[in-house]
Amino acid sequence: MAFDLAARLAERRAADLYRQRPLLESPQGPEVVVDGQRLLAFCSNDYLGLANHPEVIAAWQAGAERWGVGGGASHLVVGHSTPHHQVEEALAELTGRPRALLFSTGYMANLGAITALVGQGDTVLQDRLNHASLLDGGLLSGARFNRYLHNDPASLASRLEKAVGNTLVVTDGVFSMDGDVADLPALAKVARARGAWLMVDDAHGLGTLGAQGGGIVEHFGLGLEDVPVLIGTLGKACGTAGAFVAGSEALIETLVQFARPYIYTTSQPPALACATLKSLELLRRETWRREHLTALIRQFREGAQQIGLALMHSPTPIQPIMIGDSAQALRLSRMLRERGLLVTAIRPPTVPAGSARLRVTLSAAHSEAQVQLLLNALAECYPQLENADA
């Protein structure tokens, strides 16, 4: 029996769910060139505007001169360079934890942490809207896998009553498609009452939340006992690449010994770690970036409310405009692009059926004038969408 790949692709096209890769022909930033067209972009996760920062670029170049290009081997063989170690120390300091462990990608960090901590005879409970890498880690672990209602401590508590073995509760810190923030204090309280560990993937909170940019755990003032396992990625607010797990000495040593995605992969380029060190320095020192970002979020939400856009309850740089129908979401995205604005339409299976949306993301590199340009275009285009439905 042959694989009918053409039929699968045709089915996806017919459902307005086919995806294509836009070709970025410029560095990350508010103004980009995509597929030969100059556009004002509102779809990057470069929340603090560090991906093309001259000091970060210079740090990478100097790192390549000093340390070469490739990592050369896995961390446990001879690939753990001084810059890698320095990044781990800086991340431990930023998150207020004894240690941190550097991974090459966020996907690997999530798979590695979950599969190293739970297995057959254990339980993993996850928020219904968690990122795909968290869900995959839970399924691959071999532990009993269940999902609780989104951001619902009561739903978690009822599932914890049926948990067996070591139990790991897993949630995103900031949910990547909705932009809302996990109720960590309540989730931590429920988990601790049942002797479960709470693991938080703070991919979208690190750098944007907390007075020092330490993320959602700092934002809520929680400690190691509340959130024993903290994940963060470096390719978003930090502007570079990679990820980490931060926690106790025992946790990090356990991951070094048992996290297969860490053990069996070549380390990231040491020059990349040099760039990350610089971006972490800027993230902490230049607090104006978070302050400006907060002002832009307020400006966008107030303007969107005046237009009558259906926003979600998000205090973060992720500001989804709910549309519902995938074809209509694509249409609004195309109308904006015709006006020189790049805002991505997000459709199932990334989001639940019937909840297609435009995912606006704001950056500290955006100006108030640029956000106003987006609001003006939405005020012009959104009513056309409603008229088409009438």
Side-chain angles (χ1 to χ4, degrees), residues 42-269:
F42 289 94
C43 52
S44 171
N45 295 330
D46 181 25
Y47 300 128
L48 296 183
L50 296 176
N52 192 36
H53 193 287
E55 290 186 44
V56 178
I57 294 170
W60 188 312
Q61 291 170 334
E65 288 285 348
R66 169 69 176 82
W67 299 99
V69 178
S74 67
H75 284 273
L76 290 175
V77 178
V78 69
H80 188 65
S81 299
T82 299
H84 298 135
H85 206 72
Q86 291 172 332
V87 166
E88 291 179 344
E89 291 174 337
L91 289 167
E93 183 181 356
L94 176 65
T95 57
R97 288 165 180 253
R99 283 188 64 185
L101 189 67
L102 186 62
F103 281 76
S104 295
T105 69
Y107 217 110
M108 287 174 56
N110 284 333
L111 292 185
I114 295 173
T115 56
L117 292 173
V118 291
Q120 288 188 351
D122 297 324
T123 303
V124 59
L125 300 174
Q126 300 214 20
D127 189 290
R128 190 168 290 278
L129 296 186
N130 273 354
H131 188 265
S133 60
L134 295 171
L135 300 177
D136 288 354
L139 293 168
L140 286 169
S141 71
R144 287 179 56 177
F145 179 89
N146 207 333
R147 291 193 278 181
Y148 58 90
L149 298 178
H150 175 53
N151 219 0
D152 189 333
S155 174
L156 172 61
S158 69
R159 282 159 177 74
L160 279 168
E161 290 178 4
K162 303 168 188 172
V164 297
N166 292 321
T167 301
L168 188 65
V169 176
V170 183
T171 182
D172 274 309
V174 173
F175 291 88
S176 60
M177 292 299 124
D178 290 15
D180 57 335
V181 175
D183 186 359
L184 278 198
L187 295 172
K189 184 178 179 181
V190 170
R192 289 184 68 180
R194 291 285 176 175
W197 270 23
L198 179 59
M199 170 176 154
V200 177
D201 178 3
D202 201 26
H204 298 271
L206 185 80
T208 64
L209 296 176
Q212 299 297 317
I216 190 170
V217 173
E218 182 191 6
H219 171 74
F220 282 119
L222 301 177
L224 194 62
E225 300 78 16
D226 303 299
V227 182
V229 188
L230 177 61
I231 312 287
T233 51
L234 305 171
K236 298 178 174 64
C238 289
T240 56
F244 66 93
V245 183
S248 67
E249 178 81 24
L251 171 68
I252 299 308
E253 280 303 309
T254 296
L255 297 182
V256 170
Q257 301 302 321
F258 298 104
R260 292 168 66 86
Y262 177 81
I263 298 166
Y264 298 109
T265 193
T266 299
S267 66
Q268 64 176 221

Side-chain angles (χ1 to χ4, degrees), residues 17-55:
L17 301 179
Y18 199 82
R19 294 161 170 169
Q20 292 176 287
R21 299 179 299 175
L23 182 60
L24 180 65
E25 301 170 57
S26 65
Q28 287 288 345
E31 297 176 358
V32 296
V33 178
V34 174
D35 297 325
Q37 184 181 5
R38 292 194 174 278
L39 297 165
L40 178 58
F42 289 94
C43 52
S44 171
N45 295 330
D46 181 25
Y47 300 128
L48 296 183
L50 296 176
N52 192 36
H53 193 287
E55 290 186 44

Side-chain angles (χ1 to χ4, degrees), residues 272-285:
L272 169 57
C274 294
T276 298
L277 274 173
K278 176 55 68 174
S279 71
L280 290 172
E281 176 193 321
L282 294 169
L283 180 154
R284 299 188 74 173
R285 187 179 77 222

